[in-house]
Amino acid sequence: MYHYLWSLLFWYFRPLIKWFLHRTTQMCELQRICYGEPAGARRILAVEESLRNSRNPDIKTLVLYLDGVSDRREITTKSERGILEEAIRTVLVAKKINPVAHPDFAKSFGKCVELIWGYRQLCIHVEELRRTAYDADNAEHELMLLKLWNLLMPHEPLEGRVTKQWQDIGFQGDDPKTDFRGMGILGLENLVYFAQEFPNAAKHVLLHSIHPRYGYAFAIVGINLTSMALRLLRDGSAKTHVYNAVKTLPTVRVFHQFYCYLMYEFDRLWIESKPSNMMEFSTIQEKFENSIRILLNNPKTVFRVNISVDNV
Amino acid sequence: MHGTAHVKFILSKQKTSLNKLHGNEVIDATNKGDQSNMGNCIRAVLRKFRRKPRNEKNIVILFVGLDGAGKSLILNRIVGDLEQNVVPTMGFRTISLKHKSCNVKVYDLGGSPQIRSIWPRYYNDVHGLVYVVDASDTSRLTENRIILGDLISHENVSGKPLLLLANKQDLDGALDELDLVENLDVERVANEMRCPTRVETCSCFYAMTKSQKSTEGIINGYKWLLNTIMKNYQTLNSQVKSEPPIRNGFSVRSITSSPTPSKTESMNSDPFKPIHSLLKQNKLSGSSNCVKNGTNGKIIPLRRLLATCTNKTTPMPIEDRAEEPDLALQRTDCDSTIFQVAENNRQETVILNPLKLKPGVTNTRPFTAPDNFSRIKTEVTIPTIQDQR
């Protein structure tokens, strides 16, 4: 009821307010946002909202065009420049902005567009990775799996492809391939990235996971956290982090880093809460997700993995 | 008799009080302007009154099975969630459902070897279990047999209904229910521990042609499980509530007591064996029961149970089979031909207790006993019956 009333008011009064502000400030809404809001998530989120709510036919077609391009994953480092210039030109023409008088606007607006549709493209890309099931016949996948082992257990050679040793790093059975169900190759890539880019943190977490009392299944928790990271990415909660963390076109690397942060922080929460057994995972995970969501609600949030591993 | 009359009296009393309240509501609504507030208030009171007589049942079901068997996905199917991507369950998840007037709570436990040791902590709280097997993975059948055997023979599980789902029928080389029953040795353990068991085949992924059939198994099995639980709710619930030490004594007794029970015991104590169903079963047993050739001929209870079993396994109520003629038809073609030989022998092994055949005896059966169990009583007595009467 209130929601309906609000949207009605919004629909009729927004143009009025915008017209009034345009008259008084001599700037369109996008300009006001780009000049008024601090760079990062706040500006980008505001620009995104403004573009999505726009009733200007040119801007509407621009939004549709950009959606299509990013859904097809056509924004690459090469094509990016052309697409951004096109977008900026459309807005400048539609809003009658003089590019000479407002050189900063084009620049910051371009950045916003890059990140907004880069994020959308990232979602598509990550989703594609998730849909790629782990294939034991694919040499690339197999190599990645072995790499994970070598990164985590450098001093212990693997006895075979199918072995009970996999349980040491927290897989369920003696063949990890079934554990990647649901998250596909994305789960493996996440784990490999974590072990590769943050070797100390990964070892630290792995050591915790084999704790006799508070131990947990490292890989399975990792895959569960991949699912959580994906959930946050899909429903847009992760936008705050992504918009704040990167300055260029977001790639899957951003997602991996976001994941690493989650993994590291989850481990800390797990050890801190001293669970009596692994059955407490779901409650702790829920608690963890809620706290992450609260953090992401603050537009200033950016997650960085600060490795403070004490070498004891 | 006395008990039922008493209950009726209470019910009628409450009805009159409800009527009174209804009357009040009408008067209030006409007299006072503040309708909504008053209405809310009365509605709340009414709801309170209505709740009591219905006596909502809380059912707890446990989903177990090896890792990767498909527990979470099957549960998603039951809930109606079409999400195809499930990650390995870490720990467990809880799902609350409604079935008729019951609140059903489902614990979906993770199946990884690391947490299997924690499963038994949940056994005490549940009314029924679902065991999911990946029927396409023949290499893990031995593991499954051990785990399932351990599960059923756990003191807190014995006697509780068990649904065995042979999942992943969409994959090539998946075992059907008969092979699975044979391989997992389900009959022997289920009979020993008196777990009413049913086996269903299912698959969570829709093949184009048999999309309906694949999920049918899940839904049928789930309904059977809930109905079985509801029919034996009091027995199971008292089992859930009673403390472990009591059941300890009970399980010991079940092992030591003789296979031919004393008269008094056989008449009063077993809720699983209503007498009229035994009569019915005697009539029916010669006709069309499909039986698996029990390899272990020495165990009489097994044979007896087999006598009543349908194409599914063990203690399936006879009435149930009548309800599902199509399912029965699908199997009997092979079953009857293969297993008919055993029928004659089986007939003879059924030891008839003349006392049970007397029609008058039926009244002495505890009224809480489910009239659905055609399973023949062997040795176990359920001590909790005395409390209920």
Side-chain angles (χ1 to χ4, degrees), chain B residues 28-65:
Chain B
D28 283 333
T30 45
N31 282 355
K32 288 172 188 172
D34 194 5
Q35 285 182 17
S36 63
N37 223 348
M38 208 56 203
N40 276 344
C41 194
I42 286 166
R43 217 172 293 143
V45 173
L46 274 177
R47 213 173 291 144
K48 249 186 190 172
F49 268 87
R50 259 183 219 145
R51 275 276 159 78
K52 269 181 194 166
R54 202 189 277 166
N55 195 8
E56 282 192 344
K57 293 172 181 170
N58 292 309
I59 293 176
V60 183
I61 294 175
L62 197 67
F63 265 66
V64 284

mmCIF file of all heavy atoms in Angstrom, chain B residues 28-65:
data_model
loop_
_atom_site.group_PDB
_atom_site.id
_atom_site.type_symbol
_atom_site.label_atom_id
_atom_site.label_comp_id
_atom_site.label_asym_id
_atom_site.label_seq_id
_atom_site.Cartn_x
_atom_site.Cartn_y
_atom_site.Cartn_z
ATOM 1 N N ASP B 28 -20.765 -7.135 18.702
ATOM 2 C CA ASP B 28 -19.735 -6.095 18.782
ATOM 3 C C ASP B 28 -19.650 -5.311 17.498
ATOM 4 O O ASP B 28 -19.549 -4.092 17.493
ATOM 5 C CB ASP B 28 -18.371 -6.748 19.052
ATOM 6 C CG ASP B 28 -18.269 -7.142 20.510
ATOM 7 O OD1 ASP B 28 -18.947 -6.486 21.309
ATOM 8 O OD2 ASP B 28 -17.533 -8.087 20.816
ATOM 9 N N ALA B 29 -19.684 -6.043 16.409
ATOM 10 C CA ALA B 29 -19.518 -5.382 15.120
ATOM 11 C C ALA B 29 -20.642 -4.401 14.867
ATOM 12 O O ALA B 29 -20.428 -3.336 14.293
ATOM 13 C CB ALA B 29 -19.491 -6.424 14.012
ATOM 14 N N THR B 30 -21.835 -4.750 15.299
ATOM 15 C CA THR B 30 -22.944 -3.837 15.035
ATOM 16 C C THR B 30 -22.959 -2.690 16.020
ATOM 17 O O THR B 30 -23.324 -1.574 15.673
ATOM 18 C CB THR B 30 -24.284 -4.592 15.109
ATOM 19 O OG1 THR B 30 -24.254 -5.420 16.269
ATOM 20 C CG2 THR B 30 -24.483 -5.427 13.861
ATOM 21 N N ASN B 31 -22.594 -2.965 17.247
ATOM 22 C CA ASN B 31 -22.701 -1.930 18.270
ATOM 23 C C ASN B 31 -21.600 -0.900 18.196
ATOM 24 O O ASN B 31 -21.839 0.284 18.389
ATOM 25 C CB ASN B 31 -22.673 -2.568 19.658
ATOM 26 C CG ASN B 31 -24.015 -3.179 19.979
ATOM 27 O OD1 ASN B 31 -24.959 -3.025 19.198
ATOM 28 N ND2 ASN B 31 -24.097 -3.864 21.104
ATOM 29 N N LYS B 32 -20.385 -1.360 17.951
ATOM 30 C CA LYS B 32 -19.271 -0.439 18.076
ATOM 31 C C LYS B 32 -18.731 -0.050 16.709
ATOM 32 O O LYS B 32 -18.752 -0.845 15.761
ATOM 33 C CB LYS B 32 -18.158 -1.086 18.894
ATOM 34 C CG LYS B 32 -18.558 -1.166 20.363
ATOM 35 C CD LYS B 32 -17.557 -1.966 21.149
ATOM 36 C CE LYS B 32 -18.092 -2.184 22.568
ATOM 37 N NZ LYS B 32 -17.263 -3.101 23.308
ATOM 38 N N GLY B 33 -18.220 1.098 16.646
ATOM 39 C CA GLY B 33 -17.666 1.565 15.371
ATOM 40 C C GLY B 33 -16.296 0.963 15.093
ATOM 41 O O GLY B 33 -15.937 0.731 13.951
ATOM 42 N N ASP B 34 -15.606 0.699 16.147
ATOM 43 C CA ASP B 34 -14.227 0.232 15.984
ATOM 44 C C ASP B 34 -14.218 -1.267 15.623
ATOM 45 O O ASP B 34 -13.896 -2.109 16.436
ATOM 46 C CB ASP B 34 -13.467 0.467 17.288
ATOM 47 C CG ASP B 34 -11.980 0.324 17.079
ATOM 48 O OD1 ASP B 34 -11.549 0.143 15.923
ATOM 49 O OD2 ASP B 34 -11.268 0.379 18.065
ATOM 50 N N GLN B 35 -14.576 -1.532 14.404
ATOM 51 C CA GLN B 35 -14.772 -2.934 14.032
ATOM 52 C C GLN B 35 -13.462 -3.691 13.892
ATOM 53 O O GLN B 35 -13.303 -4.776 14.411
ATOM 54 C CB GLN B 35 -15.511 -3.017 12.705
ATOM 55 C CG GLN B 35 -16.973 -2.707 12.855
ATOM 56 C CD GLN B 35 -17.672 -2.840 11.520
ATOM 57 O OE1 GLN B 35 -17.153 -3.440 10.612
ATOM 58 N NE2 GLN B 35 -18.844 -2.253 11.426
ATOM 59 N N SER B 36 -12.573 -3.075 13.175
ATOM 60 C CA SER B 36 -11.378 -3.822 12.789
ATOM 61 C C SER B 36 -10.576 -4.265 14.007
ATOM 62 O O SER B 36 -10.165 -5.400 14.125
ATOM 63 C CB SER B 36 -10.508 -2.974 11.874
ATOM 64 O OG SER B 36 -10.065 -1.840 12.578
ATOM 65 N N ASN B 37 -10.433 -3.338 14.937
ATOM 66 C CA ASN B 37 -9.638 -3.650 16.120
ATOM 67 C C ASN B 37 -10.274 -4.786 16.896
ATOM 68 O O ASN B 37 -9.640 -5.756 17.264
ATOM 69 C CB ASN B 37 -9.574 -2.394 17.002
ATOM 70 C CG ASN B 37 -8.168 -2.220 17.512
ATOM 71 O OD1 ASN B 37 -7.362 -3.143 17.381
ATOM 72 N ND2 ASN B 37 -7.887 -1.082 18.077
ATOM 73 N N MET B 38 -11.550 -4.649 17.100
ATOM 74 C CA MET B 38 -12.279 -5.641 17.864
ATOM 75 C C MET B 38 -12.261 -6.972 17.125
ATOM 76 O O MET B 38 -12.064 -8.023 17.735
ATOM 77 C CB MET B 38 -13.710 -5.122 18.029
ATOM 78 C CG MET B 38 -14.396 -5.601 19.265
ATOM 79 S SD MET B 38 -13.460 -5.181 20.736
ATOM 80 C CE MET B 38 -14.132 -6.424 21.812
ATOM 81 N N GLY B 39 -12.457 -6.873 15.826
ATOM 82 C CA GLY B 39 -12.459 -8.084 15.009
ATOM 83 C C GLY B 39 -11.157 -8.821 15.131
ATOM 84 O O GLY B 39 -11.116 -10.030 15.336
ATOM 85 N N ASN B 40 -10.081 -8.065 15.065
ATOM 86 C CA ASN B 40 -8.757 -8.671 15.192
ATOM 87 C C ASN B 40 -8.622 -9.401 16.510
ATOM 88 O O ASN B 40 -8.141 -10.514 16.577
ATOM 89 C CB ASN B 40 -7.680 -7.592 15.125
ATOM 90 C CG ASN B 40 -7.348 -7.284 13.683
ATOM 91 O OD1 ASN B 40 -7.700 -8.064 12.796
ATOM 92 N ND2 ASN B 40 -6.701 -6.171 13.465
ATOM 93 N N CYS B 41 -9.076 -8.705 17.524
ATOM 94 C CA CYS B 41 -8.954 -9.232 18.869
ATOM 95 C C CYS B 41 -9.691 -10.560 18.968
ATOM 96 O O CYS B 41 -9.151 -11.569 19.428
ATOM 97 C CB CYS B 41 -9.550 -8.217 19.843
ATOM 98 S SG CYS B 41 -9.124 -8.560 21.519
ATOM 99 N N ILE B 42 -10.908 -10.538 18.460
ATOM 100 C CA ILE B 42 -11.732 -11.745 18.570
ATOM 101 C C ILE B 42 -11.174 -12.842 17.697
ATOM 102 O O ILE B 42 -11.164 -14.009 18.076
ATOM 103 C CB ILE B 42 -13.185 -11.412 18.199
ATOM 104 C CG1 ILE B 42 -13.795 -10.620 19.357
ATOM 105 C CG2 ILE B 42 -13.987 -12.674 17.942
ATOM 106 C CD1 ILE B 42 -15.068 -9.956 19.024
ATOM 107 N N ARG B 43 -10.699 -12.428 16.526
ATOM 108 C CA ARG B 43 -10.137 -13.437 15.642
ATOM 109 C C ARG B 43 -8.960 -14.148 16.316
ATOM 110 O O ARG B 43 -8.798 -15.354 16.212
ATOM 111 C CB ARG B 43 -9.668 -12.778 14.337
ATOM 112 C CG ARG B 43 -9.915 -13.674 13.139
ATOM 113 C CD ARG B 43 -9.626 -12.913 11.865
ATOM 114 N NE ARG B 43 -10.566 -11.833 11.638
ATOM 115 C CZ ARG B 43 -10.222 -10.651 11.114
ATOM 116 N NH1 ARG B 43 -8.973 -10.419 10.791
ATOM 117 N NH2 ARG B 43 -11.121 -9.708 10.918
ATOM 118 N N ALA B 44 -8.176 -13.348 17.011
ATOM 119 C CA ALA B 44 -7.030 -13.944 17.703
ATOM 120 C C ALA B 44 -7.492 -14.950 18.746
ATOM 121 O O ALA B 44 -6.949 -16.047 18.862
ATOM 122 C CB ALA B 44 -6.194 -12.849 18.350
ATOM 123 N N VAL B 45 -8.525 -14.549 19.459
ATOM 124 C CA VAL B 45 -9.056 -15.448 20.496
ATOM 125 C C VAL B 45 -9.603 -16.710 19.852
ATOM 126 O O VAL B 45 -9.358 -17.827 20.302
ATOM 127 C CB VAL B 45 -10.156 -14.728 21.302
ATOM 128 C CG1 VAL B 45 -10.819 -15.707 22.260
ATOM 129 C CG2 VAL B 45 -9.563 -13.555 22.045
ATOM 130 N N LEU B 46 -10.330 -16.505 18.752
ATOM 131 C CA LEU B 46 -10.916 -17.651 18.052
ATOM 132 C C LEU B 46 -9.842 -18.604 17.597
ATOM 133 O O LEU B 46 -9.973 -19.815 17.725
ATOM 134 C CB LEU B 46 -11.687 -17.150 16.832
ATOM 135 C CG LEU B 46 -13.130 -16.738 17.091
ATOM 136 C CD1 LEU B 46 -13.735 -16.208 15.814
ATOM 137 C CD2 LEU B 46 -13.936 -17.911 17.612
ATOM 138 N N ARG B 47 -8.807 -18.014 17.055
ATOM 139 C CA ARG B 47 -7.730 -18.859 16.543
ATOM 140 C C ARG B 47 -7.152 -19.704 17.675
ATOM 141 O O ARG B 47 -6.859 -20.862 17.521
ATOM 142 C CB ARG B 47 -6.647 -17.966 15.933
ATOM 143 C CG ARG B 47 -5.957 -18.638 14.746
ATOM 144 C CD ARG B 47 -5.027 -17.674 14.066
ATOM 145 N NE ARG B 47 -5.725 -16.602 13.382
ATOM 146 C CZ ARG B 47 -5.270 -15.348 13.316
ATOM 147 N NH1 ARG B 47 -4.157 -15.019 13.915
ATOM 148 N NH2 ARG B 47 -5.951 -14.436 12.660
ATOM 149 N N LYS B 48 -7.033 -19.062 18.796
ATOM 150 C CA LYS B 48 -6.492 -19.787 19.942
ATOM 151 C C LYS B 48 -7.363 -20.985 20.283
ATOM 152 O O LYS B 48 -6.890 -22.075 20.547
ATOM 153 C CB LYS B 48 -6.412 -18.845 21.150
ATOM 154 C CG LYS B 48 -4.992 -18.526 21.536
ATOM 155 C CD LYS B 48 -4.962 -17.736 22.801
ATOM 156 C CE LYS B 48 -3.574 -17.202 23.051
ATOM 157 N NZ LYS B 48 -3.543 -16.274 24.156
ATOM 158 N N PHE B 49 -8.661 -20.740 20.236
ATOM 159 C CA PHE B 49 -9.576 -21.815 20.587
ATOM 160 C C PHE B 49 -9.541 -22.926 19.550
ATOM 161 O O PHE B 49 -9.666 -24.081 19.851
ATOM 162 C CB PHE B 49 -11.004 -21.268 20.717
ATOM 163 C CG PHE B 49 -11.317 -20.856 22.110
ATOM 164 C CD1 PHE B 49 -11.016 -19.586 22.552
ATOM 165 C CD2 PHE B 49 -11.878 -21.770 22.993
ATOM 166 C CE1 PHE B 49 -11.287 -19.205 23.841
ATOM 167 C CE2 PHE B 49 -12.142 -21.399 24.292
ATOM 168 C CZ PHE B 49 -11.860 -20.110 24.727
ATOM 169 N N ARG B 50 -9.432 -22.508 18.305
ATOM 170 C CA ARG B 50 -9.475 -23.507 17.239
ATOM 171 C C ARG B 50 -8.228 -24.371 17.264
ATOM 172 O O ARG B 50 -8.272 -25.531 16.948
ATOM 173 C CB ARG B 50 -9.568 -22.798 15.892
ATOM 174 C CG ARG B 50 -11.000 -22.831 15.381
ATOM 175 C CD ARG B 50 -11.091 -22.190 14.023
ATOM 176 N NE ARG B 50 -12.318 -21.419 13.945
ATOM 177 C CZ ARG B 50 -12.435 -20.288 13.285
ATOM 178 N NH1 ARG B 50 -11.382 -19.779 12.670
ATOM 179 N NH2 ARG B 50 -13.569 -19.642 13.233
ATOM 180 N N ARG B 51 -7.135 -23.763 17.594
ATOM 181 C CA ARG B 51 -5.878 -24.508 17.608
ATOM 182 C C ARG B 51 -5.944 -25.725 18.507
ATOM 183 O O ARG B 51 -5.559 -26.799 18.144
ATOM 184 C CB ARG B 51 -4.743 -23.606 18.116
ATOM 185 C CG ARG B 51 -4.131 -22.768 17.067
ATOM 186 C CD ARG B 51 -3.065 -23.498 16.297
ATOM 187 N NE ARG B 51 -2.840 -22.878 15.010
ATOM 188 C CZ ARG B 51 -2.136 -21.766 14.841
ATOM 189 N NH1 ARG B 51 -1.584 -21.183 15.862
ATOM 190 N NH2 ARG B 51 -1.975 -21.256 13.645
ATOM 191 N N LYS B 52 -6.510 -25.500 19.666
ATOM 192 C CA LYS B 52 -6.427 -26.528 20.697
ATOM 193 C C LYS B 52 -7.037 -27.860 20.276
ATOM 194 O O LYS B 52 -6.372 -28.873 20.335
ATOM 195 C CB LYS B 52 -7.038 -26.008 21.994
ATOM 196 C CG LYS B 52 -5.981 -25.351 22.853
ATOM 197 C CD LYS B 52 -6.560 -24.862 24.134
ATOM 198 C CE LYS B 52 -5.579 -23.926 24.821
ATOM 199 N NZ LYS B 52 -6.238 -23.175 25.896
ATOM 200 N N PRO B 53 -8.287 -27.841 19.842
ATOM 201 C CA PRO B 53 -8.867 -29.148 19.537
ATOM 202 C C PRO B 53 -8.147 -29.844 18.389
ATOM 203 O O PRO B 53 -8.073 -31.060 18.381
ATOM 204 C CB PRO B 53 -10.314 -28.821 19.175
ATOM 205 C CG PRO B 53 -10.388 -27.381 18.992
ATOM 206 C CD PRO B 53 -9.247 -26.766 19.703
ATOM 207 N N ARG B 54 -7.646 -29.107 17.462
ATOM 208 C CA ARG B 54 -7.013 -29.753 16.322
ATOM 209 C C ARG B 54 -5.729 -30.460 16.752
ATOM 210 O O ARG B 54 -5.337 -31.461 16.185
ATOM 211 C CB ARG B 54 -6.708 -28.704 15.253
ATOM 212 C CG ARG B 54 -6.551 -29.355 13.890
ATOM 213 C CD ARG B 54 -6.049 -28.351 12.899
ATOM 214 N NE ARG B 54 -7.124 -27.540 12.367
ATOM 215 C CZ ARG B 54 -6.901 -26.429 11.687
ATOM 216 N NH1 ARG B 54 -5.671 -26.002 11.502
ATOM 217 N NH2 ARG B 54 -7.904 -25.734 11.198
ATOM 218 N N ASN B 55 -5.091 -29.918 17.755
ATOM 219 C CA ASN B 55 -3.897 -30.559 18.288
ATOM 220 C C ASN B 55 -2.854 -30.795 17.204
ATOM 221 O O ASN B 55 -2.627 -31.910 16.749
ATOM 222 C CB ASN B 55 -4.280 -31.882 18.959
ATOM 223 C CG ASN B 55 -3.146 -32.368 19.825
ATOM 224 O OD1 ASN B 55 -2.158 -31.637 20.014
ATOM 225 N ND2 ASN B 55 -3.259 -33.570 20.341
ATOM 226 N N GLU B 56 -2.266 -29.733 16.754
ATOM 227 C CA GLU B 56 -1.354 -29.836 15.617
ATOM 228 C C GLU B 56 -0.190 -30.758 15.908
ATOM 229 O O GLU B 56 0.412 -30.717 16.967
ATOM 230 C CB GLU B 56 -0.842 -28.443 15.276
ATOM 231 C CG GLU B 56 -1.873 -27.669 14.525
ATOM 232 C CD GLU B 56 -1.316 -26.411 13.926
ATOM 233 O OE1 GLU B 56 -0.211 -26.008 14.353
ATOM 234 O OE2 GLU B 56 -1.965 -25.848 13.055
ATOM 235 N N LYS B 57 0.099 -31.564 14.913
ATOM 236 C CA LYS B 57 1.185 -32.512 15.086
ATOM 237 C C LYS B 57 2.467 -31.916 14.520
ATOM 238 O O LYS B 57 2.452 -31.263 13.488
ATOM 239 C CB LYS B 57 0.862 -33.800 14.344
ATOM 240 C CG LYS B 57 -0.294 -34.553 14.945
ATOM 241 C CD LYS B 57 -0.684 -35.704 14.048
ATOM 242 C CE LYS B 57 -1.858 -36.454 14.650
ATOM 243 N NZ LYS B 57 -2.412 -37.416 13.698
ATOM 244 N N ASN B 58 3.518 -32.182 15.207
ATOM 245 C CA ASN B 58 4.818 -31.770 14.699
ATOM 246 C C ASN B 58 5.585 -33.013 14.287
ATOM 247 O O ASN B 58 5.827 -33.892 15.095
ATOM 248 C CB ASN B 58 5.606 -31.013 15.763
ATOM 249 C CG ASN B 58 4.977 -29.686 16.052
ATOM 250 O OD1 ASN B 58 4.701 -28.910 15.131
ATOM 251 N ND2 ASN B 58 4.701 -29.431 17.310
ATOM 252 N N ILE B 59 5.918 -33.050 13.028
ATOM 253 C CA ILE B 59 6.625 -34.218 12.518
ATOM 254 C C ILE B 59 8.041 -33.798 12.129
ATOM 255 O O ILE B 59 8.236 -32.748 11.527
ATOM 256 C CB ILE B 59 5.889 -34.799 11.301
ATOM 257 C CG1 ILE B 59 4.549 -35.377 11.734
ATOM 258 C CG2 ILE B 59 6.727 -35.861 10.619
ATOM 259 C CD1 ILE B 59 3.704 -35.880 10.606
ATOM 260 N N VAL B 60 8.969 -34.601 12.512
ATOM 261 C CA VAL B 60 10.354 -34.329 12.134
ATOM 262 C C VAL B 60 10.850 -35.469 11.252
ATOM 263 O O VAL B 60 10.701 -36.640 11.597
ATOM 264 C CB VAL B 60 11.251 -34.195 13.380
ATOM 265 C CG1 VAL B 60 12.660 -33.836 12.960
ATOM 266 C CG2 VAL B 60 10.701 -33.156 14.321
ATOM 267 N N ILE B 61 11.391 -35.105 10.133
ATOM 268 C CA ILE B 61 11.900 -36.105 9.203
ATOM 269 C C ILE B 61 13.378 -35.840 8.948
ATOM 270 O O ILE B 61 13.807 -34.689 8.883
ATOM 271 C CB ILE B 61 11.118 -36.053 7.876
ATOM 272 C CG1 ILE B 61 9.679 -36.470 8.096
ATOM 273 C CG2 ILE B 61 11.756 -36.961 6.845
ATOM 274 C CD1 ILE B 61 8.830 -36.328 6.885
ATOM 275 N N LEU B 62 14.104 -36.904 8.806
ATOM 276 C CA LEU B 62 15.541 -36.782 8.604
ATOM 277 C C LEU B 62 15.900 -37.275 7.206
ATOM 278 O O LEU B 62 15.450 -38.333 6.789
ATOM 279 C CB LEU B 62 16.243 -37.635 9.654
ATOM 280 C CG LEU B 62 17.714 -37.382 9.915
ATOM 281 C CD1 LEU B 62 17.881 -36.020 10.532
ATOM 282 C CD2 LEU B 62 18.245 -38.433 10.869
ATOM 283 N N PHE B 63 16.680 -36.496 6.505
ATOM 284 C CA PHE B 63 17.188 -36.925 5.209
ATOM 285 C C PHE B 63 18.643 -37.318 5.376
ATOM 286 O O PHE B 63 19.466 -36.488 5.762
ATOM 287 C CB PHE B 63 17.113 -35.768 4.203
ATOM 288 C CG PHE B 63 15.875 -35.774 3.373
ATOM 289 C CD1 PHE B 63 14.649 -35.566 3.955
ATOM 290 C CD2 PHE B 63 15.933 -35.972 1.997
ATOM 291 C CE1 PHE B 63 13.493 -35.557 3.198
ATOM 292 C CE2 PHE B 63 14.787 -35.970 1.234
ATOM 293 C CZ PHE B 63 13.563 -35.765 1.830
ATOM 294 N N VAL B 64 18.951 -38.562 5.109
ATOM 295 C CA VAL B 64 20.343 -38.972 5.180
ATOM 296 C C VAL B 64 20.717 -39.756 3.927
ATOM 297 O O VAL B 64 19.869 -40.129 3.128
ATOM 298 C CB VAL B 64 20.647 -39.824 6.427
ATOM 299 C CG1 VAL B 64 20.723 -38.976 7.655
ATOM 300 C CG2 VAL B 64 19.625 -40.919 6.595
ATOM 301 N N GLY B 65 21.981 -40.005 3.796
ATOM 302 C CA GLY B 65 22.496 -40.716 2.633
ATOM 303 C C GLY B 65 23.925 -40.307 2.403
ATOM 304 O O GLY B 65 24.405 -39.350 3.015
#
